[in-house]
Amino acid sequence: LLWQAQNGEMKYIVLLGLVLAVTLAQVPIPERPTGILYREAPLAKLRMDIYEDLLCGDCKNFDPPFKQFLNTTYNDRPITDYIEVYFHPFILPLHINAFTMTQLSPYIWDLNHDGEVNAAFNEWAFEHQLEFKGPEGLAMSQYDVMDKTCHDTADKFGYTEEQCLEVLKNGTYEQEIHKAQKYGTWYKVYTTPGVFLNGVMIEDYPDTAEKW
């Protein structure tokens, strides 16, 4: 975080790490966001795009009431019949471990083609955030992150521990995460969760299922 005084007010500018910035500059911006569709929406009237960081505390707080809303009904049909909901990764600079963990998201999608399985992985990550951030997380190498993530999630989301380690150590989905990160940056996502309705950012999103 860089702090800058301007007209007597303090403003902050969030800068991505130099290495990440250089890497992202080499990845083309996708024509459309590459998010994970939560559920099929046969009567879709609206599209929502949710940008989350697996180690973001605000994302952890946002997720339960939003999922409650997604499990409500309208005209005796699931609300998700009318709203396409896509989840995207957007990793904040301090959460380097999230970059490694998030590479499992497109892998889980390729294995299951089920957005609710991906959502369950996100929920697992939110539940275990403190094991990957703060002093404990900062002391971990990326190989430590791989080992712990794969050991703790093995046989939960469609892969074995060995398959998980192979994917992460080979960097099979690194470019997918770079593309998603670059798209979010281009789309002016600056914090998480980033909530968009039909392409328009909702700055003051509801904090309960009822308000949604």
Side-chain angles (χ1 to χ4, degrees), residues 92-145:
L92 301 177
L94 291 176
H95 297 156
I96 185 64
N97 292 344
F99 179 78
T100 297
M101 299 165 68
T102 302
Q103 291 174 53
L104 290 178
S105 184
Y107 178 46
I108 291 169
W109 174 258
D110 283 348
L111 289 173
N112 301 283
H113 292 283
D114 185 338
E116 294 191 70
V117 178
N118 277 84
F121 171 71
N122 284 12
E123 290 161 12
W124 175 88
F126 294 149
E127 182 181 351
H128 295 271
Q129 278 185 353
L130 294 181
E131 299 167 30
F132 292 92
K133 68 182 203 178
E136 185 175 350
L138 290 174
M140 299 172 76
S141 72
Q142 292 312 294
Y143 287 108
D144 292 335
V145 176

Side-chain angles (χ1 to χ4, degrees), residues 56-182:
C56 161
D58 287 338
C59 296
K60 178 180 180 179
N61 295 332
F62 168 86
D63 197 66
F66 184 62
K67 294 285 180 53
Q68 276 186 276
F69 164 66
L70 296 182
N71 285 315
T72 60
T73 60
Y74 177 76
N75 286 343
D76 296 322
R77 296 182 65 110
I79 195 69
T80 48
D81 279 2
Y82 302 96
I83 307 173
E84 280 186 318
V85 180
Y86 286 84
F87 286 92
H88 311 261
F90 189 79
I91 301 159
L92 301 177
L94 291 176
H95 297 156
I96 185 64
N97 292 344
F99 179 78
T100 297
M101 299 165 68
T102 302
Q103 291 174 53
L104 290 178
S105 184
Y107 178 46
I108 291 169
W109 174 258
D110 283 348
L111 289 173
N112 301 283
H113 292 283
D114 185 338
E116 294 191 70
V117 178
N118 277 84
F121 171 71
N122 284 12
E123 290 161 12
W124 175 88
F126 294 149
E127 182 181 351
H128 295 271
Q129 278 185 353
L130 294 181
E131 299 167 30
F132 292 92
K133 68 182 203 178
E136 185 175 350
L138 290 174
M140 299 172 76
S141 72
Q142 292 312 294
Y143 287 108
D144 292 335
V145 176
M146 293 177 190
D147 289 341
K148 179 172 177 55
T149 303
C150 292
H151 177 270
D152 292 357
T153 63
D155 303 316
K156 287 180 168 56
F157 305 108
Y159 52 76
T160 66
E161 182 174 356
E162 293 74 20
Q163 289 169 329
C164 176
L165 287 169
E166 181 179 6
V167 163
L168 292 183
K169 289 182 178 180
N170 289 342
T172 308
Y173 291 91
E174 277 188 5
Q175 288 302 303
E176 290 297 313
I177 304 307
H178 285 314
K179 288 178 183 178
Q181 189 81 6
K182 185 163 187 176

Side-chain angles (χ1 to χ4, degrees), residues 48 62 190-191 193-197 200-208 211-212:
M48 295 192 71
F62 168 86
Y190 65 91
T191 189
V195 181
F196 290 76
L197 178 61
V200 178
M201 180 179 281
I202 301 175
E203 297 278 1
D204 188 19
Y205 52 79
D207 58 2
T208 67
K211 290 178 182 178
W212 277 107

